[in-house]
Structure formats: C-alpha cells, structure tokens
Amino acid sequence: MLGLLLLGLVARAVSVSAAVVEGESPSTADHGEFEVLDGPFDSAIDVTRACLGCHSKAADQVQRTIHWRWEFRHPETGQRLGKRHVINSFCGSVWSNEPRCTSCHVGYGWTDMHEPPPQADDQVDCLVCHDTTGTYWKLPAGAGHPPYAETRSSKSSGAPGAPVDLAHVARNVGLSGRANCGSCHFYGGGGDGVKHGDLDSSLVEPPRSLDVHMSAQGADFRCAECHTSWGHRVAGSRYATNARDTRGIDIPGRTDDSRASCESCHGLQPHGTAKLNDHVDRVACQSCHIPEFARGGVATKMWWDWSTAGRLGDDDQPLTIRDAAGHLSYLSTKGSFRYAEDVVPAYFWFDGTMRYTLRDEPIDADHPPVAINRFSGGPDDADARIWPFKVMRGRQPYDTVNRTLLVNHVYGDDDTALWTNFDWARALAAGTAFADQPYSGEYGFVETVMYWPITHMVAPASAALDCGACHARDGRLAALGGFYLPGRDRGAWVERLGWGLVLLVLAASGAHAGVRVWTRGRRGRQA
C-alpha cells in the first residue's frame, strides 16, 4: 500500500520537492526583489497590472475557468450550472444579491449577473489565491475588492478590519495554500463550515486525526496537491464528480487533467488484503475513510428554515439566538437553523452525475421535500459506488401558482432587501424582477433537500470504519437497499445455500471419519 502511494505521489512531488528541502521555496523568483511590486498601490487592480507585466497570460487563463465564469455546462445532462445559475438551500441565489455574493469571486467589480464577469485583464484578483502573508481579505460586500481604508467588518468575525497593505502582500506572493482556497470555500453559505460539512477553517492547520493528508503531521498537502491545475484550470468539480476513477495512478502522459480522486494517488488496489480491495469498485474510499464530517470543532448547518425570518424582539430590533452549544439557532435576517458536529454521513449509490432544479423548472410542492439537486446511480450501475453525503434540509420560498423556486433578494441598501426590512413580499418581488423570473405574486414555503458529497477530512487508516460498521443489521448501510449485503441481509436462497454447504462439509467430514474407523478396524482384523 505504501509503495503504491509513493508511486502515485512522484509526479506531484516533483513540483514541490524543493520546498521541503531546508524550508526553501519552490519558486524560481523572489517577488520581494521586484521594484514594480514596491508600491504604493491605490487599489488591488494596480497590483494585478504589475503582476501581468511578467505573467502576461495569467489573466486570460483565469478568465477561461469556472472560478471566473461561475458557469458550467454539464456534458451529460446539458444543464447550464455554476454559481450564476443554480439555486441552493442556503442563501438561495446570486441574482439580485451582488456584490455580497461576488465578494468570493476571483476578480473585482462584478455587480450584475445580467452581464458576464468584467472583461478587462486587470480585474482578475491575483492576490486572493497567491497571498502567503495571511493578511489579504475581501470585503463581505465589496464585489471582490479588499478594504482600502479602515472598515468596521472583517471577513467573518465582524471585528474592525484594517486596510490591506497591498505592497506587502504583492512582495510575498507564492503557491496557493489551504488558507487561500479556504478564504472562500470554507465560508460558503454564510459562515465558517456552513455549507459543505467537510470544509471549514479547522483544515487550515488540522491535526492528523482530522485530515491525514492536510495535516503537518501527515502529508501536509495544499489543496492543489489533489486539485491539480494546468493553466489555472483546477481539477475536481462538484457539478461533475469523478465518482469512480478507473484509470489508476496519475502519471505524466496518462491523465485527463481532471482527476482529483483517491485512485489518482493510491491506485485501484490500495489495500494490503484482497478482501478489502474487493470493495474498491463498489464502495468509495471516502465511505470508509471519512467516518464523520464536521469533526474539527466547527459545526455545519443541517437545517435552515427561511419561513421564520423577520421576527423581531420586544424592542423591535433584530434577534440573534444561540442554542446551548453556542451555535446560531435564529436570526431575524435568515430564520431558524440547526447545526451539528461529528455527523455520520448518509450513504447513497452515486455515479457522479447531479441534476439541479433550476429556477425555471416546475417543482412538486405537494410532495416535499423538493430536491434542489438529484444524484443518479444504483447497485446495478457499473459506474456507481456507495458514497457519503451531507444531507442539507430546510424550507425556502416558492411560487405557489407557477410552482417554481424563487430568487430571494436579501442584500442591498434599497427598501426591498429582506435583511433590511424583513418583508418577504417585497424581497421576492424585487428578486424575481431583477432575475427576469416569472412570478405570480403568490408565495409560500416548501421543504427542500440538497445533497453534498463528502470527500475531505480523511482520517488516518487506523480510524477507518471496521467491517461491522456496515455489515450489520443496524449498520450504516441499513437503509440502502437494492443489493445483498452479508451480515445485514437475510436472503433465503443464500442462507439455504450456506447451510447446505455447511451440511455438506459435515457429511463429508463424517464420511471421512467413518472410512478411517472402518479401515483401521479392518487392518486390526487382518493383523
């Protein structure tokens, strides 16, 4: 097993091997020596212009990626996905909520989803991915810009935030680290750990018990060690997951540049025993090696009920209520929540294909929950494996006449934003009008469900699930039907065959013993 892992890491290790020798940087340039980066800079856009003086193709490369376009055409379903188009069960939709949502865009100044991202090269944000100082951050509602003056609200804490020293950051750029990627991906959905369940700030410096790959006591991987990139295109997508990688170890000349998978390092026979390897084609590695998610001390949101938003306190001021564990349970701006830690995943057959319920698609509100996304795969599907999921549930607005999920306008300085005036009728009218969405004016709230594949927070092998976790009547796969699972299921024919074999063995043993007794007695008589 160790040999396979080392072989799989060879290609990736070449790019970072210099970094592990006496703490040296793998870069061939010291950006602190470039006078053009000395500043001062009036804005982050000026920094980008300086970067492009040498990295002349970088902006064009970034602008071709999903990180820039927020758009993805699914090759199998044909759906047009990406953050520009999907509705989720968290804050709903980007539409009408720019520039709040575009604070996590890898550029500057995208304020209208009717238009594509800004086209000028200098609108690309180089620093958000390449800062190594830990001091670069974007304003929560700045359409991607960092603070250029003292501000009252920092990235997530709400504490006073100082303006970014752009020259200092520019002179200290380097390879993207976990904190760079996490500055957006850890805080999706409105807070630390809210959305994914397996991505939160505990992964910036995780202990080995939390993630054996990212921990400094483990492999000390950056995100890019698995999410490899070429021309700023980053491997791996939640819109088109590689649920069953059959290509094996990723080596130069044998890759499709999209293989953020366990198999690309560990191969197709990663275990030391044949019995465990027999599971590889039917069970995702994550199902056994991620026993729980949200286990780094950061809770993840499991329930969000928008229908209760708008309630104020006796003083007519917005409410903030926490549960006994200190987790948010109610906000006047957002409604009611339930959080959880150390969550056991749900398990489903998954072939990597997800279909999304888009805002122009009718829903069946009479039979909730309405699936925001739907996965495909089953026990008879050769491309499917058993995968772990976070199942996010909640209630969100829908058009009771047109039967569609609605764009909700929550953020803005105008008097229609929900977070300002707590008026659903005005917020939904404004959001749908901005998004050009047909709207009857009649709304209600419907329970929804959304599925998030779990693939981070990989525990050490010693903490992986044992056989009894699944092969038991009340095990983790108790609710997953359509196939026979030893130890869980009682199949009449299987049991008859098994008992038949037992009886056959006993009969053969008895016959053998009888023959030995008879032959021994016969030899005695002859003597």
Side-chain angles (χ1 to χ4, degrees):
M1 176 180 175
L2 180 58
L4 287 174
L5 174 59
L6 292 175
L7 178 60
L9 293 175
V10 166
R12 293 173 181 173
V14 168
S15 64
V16 297
S17 58
V20 298
V21 177
E22 299 181 357
E24 293 180 1
S25 169
S27 176
T28 58
D30 180 356
H31 289 79
E33 296 180 357
F34 297 131
E35 292 184 8
V36 71
L37 298 180
D38 286 344
F41 297 105
D42 293 329
S43 73
I45 293 173
D46 294 333
V47 178
T48 299
R49 291 173 182 152
C51 297
L52 294 176
C54 290
H55 302 278
S56 58
K57 299 295 184 182
D60 179 65
Q61 291 176 354
V62 171
Q63 290 173 343
R64 295 173 184 269
T65 69
I66 190 173
H67 275 106
W68 180 261
R69 296 180 175 180
W70 284 9
E71 188 169 79
F72 176 82
R73 178 73 72 172
H74 198 287
E76 296 181 16
T77 68
Q79 284 190 305
R80 191 165 57 164
L81 305 174
K83 291 176 72 70
R84 286 191 70 186
H85 303 289
V86 300
I87 285 180
N88 62 48
S89 56
F90 296 89
C91 289
S93 173
V94 176
W95 285 80
S96 80
N97 298 305
E98 321 91 331
R100 178 82 181 196
C101 295
T102 54
S103 65
C104 263
H105 186 241
V106 291
Y108 307 115
W110 196 8
T111 59
D112 189 345
M113 287 295 113
H114 290 98
E115 303 294 334
Q119 300 300 295
D121 287 353
D122 61 9
Q123 300 301 299
V124 171
D125 185 350
C126 304
L127 300 181
V128 71
C129 293
H130 295 288
D131 166 43
T132 66
T133 69
T135 63
Y136 183 83
W137 59 280
K138 289 169 173 275
L139 287 164
H145 284 277
Y148 303 126
E150 189 79 20
T151 181
R152 290 189 305 166
S153 179
S154 64
K155 176 175 59 180
S156 60
S157 67
V164 173
D165 184 340
L166 294 172
H168 174 64
V169 176
R171 291 193 300 269
N172 290 277
V173 293
L175 295 174
S176 300
R178 295 184 295 271
N180 299 103
C181 302
S183 65
C184 283
H185 289 285
F186 293 166
Y187 296 92
D192 191 4
V194 163
K195 183 180 287 185
H196 298 274
D198 61 341
L199 288 172
D200 60 50
S201 62
S202 66
L203 292 175
V204 174
E205 295 291 343
R208 188 171 182 273
S209 59
L210 177 59
D211 194 291
V212 70
H213 296 121
M214 298 192 206
S215 173
Q217 291 74 47
D220 199 15
F221 278 179
R222 299 172 298 117
C223 302
E225 244 71 75
C226 293
H227 295 277
T228 54
S229 62
W230 182 262
H232 286 92
R233 294 192 309 272
V234 179
S237 169
R238 70 181 178 91
Y239 296 114
T241 304
N242 192 350
R244 183 169 179 266
D245 187 348
T246 60
R247 294 175 65 90
I249 291 174
D250 193 353
I251 60 176
R254 197 179 74 190
T255 180
D256 58 4
D257 294 322
S258 65
R259 300 181 58 219
S261 69
C262 304
E263 293 86 351
S264 66
C265 271
H266 294 275
L268 303 179
Q269 300 288 315
H271 304 101
T273 64
K275 177 54 66 178
L276 288 177
N277 284 330
D278 286 345
H279 289 69
V280 170
D281 65 337
R282 300 271 67 187
V283 181
C285 305
Q286 294 89 332
S287 291
C288 295
H289 291 276
I290 307 176
E292 293 89 22
F293 59 87
R295 66 177 197 275
V298 178
T300 190
K301 192 173 288 185
M302 302 295 293
W303 170 263
W304 187 334
D305 186 353
W306 277 100
S307 70
T308 64
R311 181 164 58 92
L312 301 178
D314 294 337
D315 58 356
D316 289 330
Q317 295 301 307
L319 293 169
T320 298
I321 302 174
R322 296 183 181 273
D323 62 21
H327 305 139
L328 284 171
S329 61
Y330 183 79
L331 285 174
S332 297
T333 52
K334 297 183 178 182
S336 304
F337 319 116
R338 288 199 295 267
Y339 283 80
E341 296 182 51
D342 302 312
V343 183
V344 173
Y347 299 91
F348 304 102
W349 290 98
F350 181 44
D351 65 4
T353 300
M354 283 277 193
R355 281 197 65 91
Y356 284 75
T357 299
L358 304 177
R359 65 175 185 260
D360 61 348
E361 297 182 9
I363 63 172
D364 183 1
D366 297 326
H367 299 90
V370 171
I372 300 296
N373 59 349
R374 302 176 299 280
F375 53 85
S376 60
D380 298 325
D381 183 349
D383 293 326
R385 297 195 299 177
I386 297 172
W387 266 72
F389 285 82
K390 171 185 172 179
V391 181
M392 175 64 190
R393 300 182 184 275
R395 300 185 76 226
Q396 59 195 93
Y398 80 106
D399 188 322
T400 58
V401 176
N402 294 325
R403 297 296 182 107
T404 54
L405 296 171
L406 291 173
V407 169
N408 50 338
H409 176 49
V410 297
Y411 172 78
D413 295 329
D414 59 284
D415 64 358
T416 62
L418 181 69
W419 292 353
T420 303
N421 286 313
F422 310 107
D423 188 323
W424 272 113
R426 283 194 289 175
L428 293 173
T432 52
F434 181 87
D436 303 317
Q437 180 183 15
Y439 178 43
S440 70
E442 301 294 328
Y443 70 92
F445 292 87
V446 64
E447 184 174 345
T448 59
V449 62
M450 194 170 186
Y451 301 95
W452 294 83
I454 295 296
T455 195
H456 305 94
M457 297 188 175
V458 177
S462 59
L465 297 181
D466 59 21
C467 301
C470 297
H471 293 276
R473 298 285 290 173
D474 58 350
R476 294 191 176 212
L477 303 184
L480 193 61
F483 69 106
Y484 177 78
L485 181 64
R488 181 195 70 174
D489 300 326
R490 292 181 178 176
W493 285 106
V494 174
E495 290 187 358
R496 289 172 187 172
L497 178 60
W499 281 112
L501 291 174
V502 170
L503 293 174
L504 183 61
V505 170
L506 291 174
S509 298
H512 178 70
V515 170
R516 288 180 63 87
V517 170
W518 179 76
T519 55
R520 186 179 298 131
R522 185 176 180 185
R523 286 197 299 268
R525 289 193 298 271
Q526 290 177 345

